[in-house]
């Protein structure tokens, strides 16, 4: 649905040149909610703005719904953009227009007649839960309601792709949850492909099917969350289940066990202690629902070094669990 191939973008020149995207390749499957996560300055906003060519890349290919956007002229690009909705962090609503008027504006600029504009705006405002606020002005709305207007405006032209540029970063936690639930509803009910950027792993955990880590303009890893969870050394998986620093534990092997899918509710630790006569210490644990599946990570301390615990660790791995030796006597 969205495919970026060897996309690069820089700003400035000479000593002032800044590389925002460095040979980025990324595929977003149709129907996915795909999160791009990274710290400030990683290039996230530049990346998402290249998808609809608000930022034209210096090089590379950008295909959306099978269409090569970089090859389009201005008129054809305007038409193609009608199929790509975008939600901004700061709402960008017209203060002089009502909620209904703001949504209609998105249709007005593409030449939809007045009757259809009114009908479609009313329909989409009902979808985002703001039908009763159609006559209100932006100044009369909460932050979450303003963002819902922004989402309604992005959906007005019936796009197949929805882009979200840090849409929840200015919202409080409760409002953020409601907006993320709305994104999931839109994805499910309208069949939209959603590409969102964020610096918050909670957003990725809550609604994303897939994710990519962007750092210094480069994709460091990406994939479906259910697969990343079981990938040794995955930084995204580590950040999904933060367990903190490992303290000094002389004479102890520290391991992280990642659970997912059908093995998330098995009594693995109790069985480990019983079968291998080990006094297991639980040093930390995190359980989440990731992409609709229960998953988690548990940090254990096993007495002795890695060699003396080799049989126990092999047993865990034979059960299909991801086991990583992360510290202690094995470090």
């Amino acid at each position: 649905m969205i495919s970026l191939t060897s996309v690069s973008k820089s700003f400035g020149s000479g000593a002032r040149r800044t590389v925002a995207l460095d040979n980025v390749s990324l595929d977003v499957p149709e129907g996915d909610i795909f999160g791009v996560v990274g710290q400030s300055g990683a290039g996230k906003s530049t990346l998402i703005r290249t998808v609809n060519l608000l930022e034209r890349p210096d090089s590379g290919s950008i295909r959306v719904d099978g269409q090569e956007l970089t090859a389009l002229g201005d008129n054809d690009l305007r038409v193609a953009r009608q199929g790509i909705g975008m939600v901004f962090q700061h709402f960008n609503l017209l203060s002089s227009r009502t909620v209904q008027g703001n949504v209609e504006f998105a249709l007005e600029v593409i030449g939809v007649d007045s009757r259809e504009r009114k009908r479609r705006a009313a329909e989409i405002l009902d979808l985002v839960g703001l039908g009763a606020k159609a006559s209100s002005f932006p100044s009369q709305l909460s932050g979450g309601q303003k963002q819902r207007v922004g989402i309604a405006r992005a959906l007005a032209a019936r796009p197949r792709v929805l882009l979200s540029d840090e849409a929840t970063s200015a919202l409080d936690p409760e409002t953020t949850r409601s907006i993320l639930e709305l994104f999931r509803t839109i994805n499910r009910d309208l069949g939209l492909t959603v590409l969102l950027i964020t610096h918050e792993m909670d957003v990725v955990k809550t609604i994303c099917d897939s994710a990519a880590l962007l750092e210094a303009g480069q994709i460091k890893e990406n994939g479906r969350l259910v697969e990343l969870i079981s990938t040794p050394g995955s930084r995204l998986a580590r950040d999904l289940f933060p367990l903190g620093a490992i303290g000094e534990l002389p004479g102890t092997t520290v391991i992280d066990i990642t659970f997912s899918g059908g093995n998330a509710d098995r009594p693995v630790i109790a069985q480990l202690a019983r079968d291998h006569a080990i006094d297991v210490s639980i040093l930390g644990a995190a359980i989440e629902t990731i992409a609709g599946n229960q998953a988690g990570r548990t940090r254990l301390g096993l007495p002795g070094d890695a060699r003396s615990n080799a049989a126990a660790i092999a047993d865990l791995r034979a059960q299909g669990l991801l086991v990583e030796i992360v510290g202690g006597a094995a470090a």
Side-chain angles (χ1 to χ4, degrees), residues 52-214:
N52 56 8
L53 262 62
L54 290 178
E55 294 285 358
R56 186 172 286 273
D58 300 331
S59 60
S61 167
I62 299 171
R63 300 183 69 85
V64 177
D65 201 15
Q67 191 170 33
E68 177 58 59
L69 298 190
T70 58
L72 299 180
D74 290 344
N75 289 336
D76 289 336
L77 181 57
R78 278 193 288 270
V79 173
R81 282 175 174 157
Q82 294 176 25
I84 307 171
M86 190 162 185
V87 184
F88 299 92
Q89 176 181 353
H90 297 296
F91 318 135
N92 295 338
L93 302 182
L94 300 173
S95 60
S96 61
R97 289 199 177 210
T98 63
V99 167
Q100 173 102 10
N102 268 277
V103 179
E104 285 191 37
F105 181 72
L107 298 170
E108 183 180 329
V109 296
I110 61 174
V112 177
D113 66 70
S114 176
R115 175 178 291 185
E116 175 59 17
R117 290 202 306 265
K118 293 182 184 300
R119 188 202 66 78
R120 176 59 177 164
E123 176 184 60
I124 206 69
L125 284 173
D126 283 339
L127 175 66
V128 301
L130 287 181
K133 295 289 186 179
S135 300
S136 300
F137 286 87
S139 61
Q140 298 171 305
L141 304 179
S142 68
Q145 289 171 332
K146 290 177 183 177
Q147 194 56 281
R148 286 174 182 267
V149 178
I151 294 171
R153 181 182 56 194
L155 297 175
R158 304 180 190 277
R160 296 196 62 198
V161 171
L162 184 64
L163 309 179
S164 170
D165 186 0
E166 296 273 17
T168 61
S169 64
L171 304 176
D172 62 79
E174 183 176 352
T175 304
T176 293
R177 282 192 294 272
S178 72
I179 294 298
L180 295 179
E181 289 171 3
L182 178 58
F183 275 130
R184 175 55 78 183
T185 298
I186 290 168
N187 165 257
R188 182 185 64 241
D189 294 352
L190 301 183
L192 287 182
T193 301
V194 180
L195 175 62
L196 60 87
I197 64 168
T198 184
H199 62 274
E200 300 172 285
M201 287 304 298
D202 281 345
V203 171
V204 175
K205 285 190 285 191
T206 300
I207 63 166
C208 289
D209 304 301
S210 305
L213 175 63
L214 187 67

Side-chain angles (χ1 to χ4, degrees), residues 232-253:
S234 167
R235 292 169 58 188
L236 280 170
R238 181 195 65 196
D239 290 343
L240 287 169
F241 306 109
L243 295 179
I246 302 169
E248 292 292 330
L249 296 167
T252 302
T253 299

Side-chain angles (χ1 to χ4, degrees), residues 246-255 283 301-302 304-306 325-331:
I246 302 169
E248 292 292 330
L249 296 167
T252 302
T253 299
V254 182
I255 64 172
L283 305 177
L302 309 180
D305 61 17
I325 301 174
V326 295

Side-chain angles (χ1 to χ4, degrees), residues 198-320:
T198 184
H199 62 274
E200 300 172 285
M201 287 304 298
D202 281 345
V203 171
V204 175
K205 285 190 285 191
T206 300
I207 63 166
C208 289
D209 304 301
S210 305
L213 175 63
L214 187 67
E215 188 175 272
Q218 296 181 330
I219 298 292
K220 297 300 183 180
E221 62 175 304
N222 77 95
R224 300 194 67 79
L225 292 186
V226 293
E227 296 171 357
L228 289 172
I229 289 168
S230 300
T231 300
S234 167
R235 292 169 58 188
L236 280 170
R238 181 195 65 196
D239 290 343
L240 287 169
F241 306 109
L243 295 179
I246 302 169
E248 292 292 330
L249 296 167
T252 302
T253 299
V254 182
I255 64 172
D256 283 355
I257 305 175
T258 301
F259 306 81
S260 62
N263 58 32
D265 57 357
R266 287 166 38 204
V268 172
I269 299 172
Q271 185 176 338
L272 175 70
R274 183 174 59 249
D275 291 351
H276 294 274
I278 296 175
D279 292 327
V280 179
S281 300
I282 300 177
L283 305 177
I287 303 294
E288 302 283 353
T289 299
I290 306 294
N293 298 294
Q294 190 176 47
R297 178 168 292 161
T298 300
R299 179 164 293 166
L300 303 180
L302 309 180
D305 61 17
R307 180 175 297 180
S308 63
N309 287 297
I313 293 171
D315 189 7
L316 291 170
R317 288 172 173 161
Q319 297 175 50

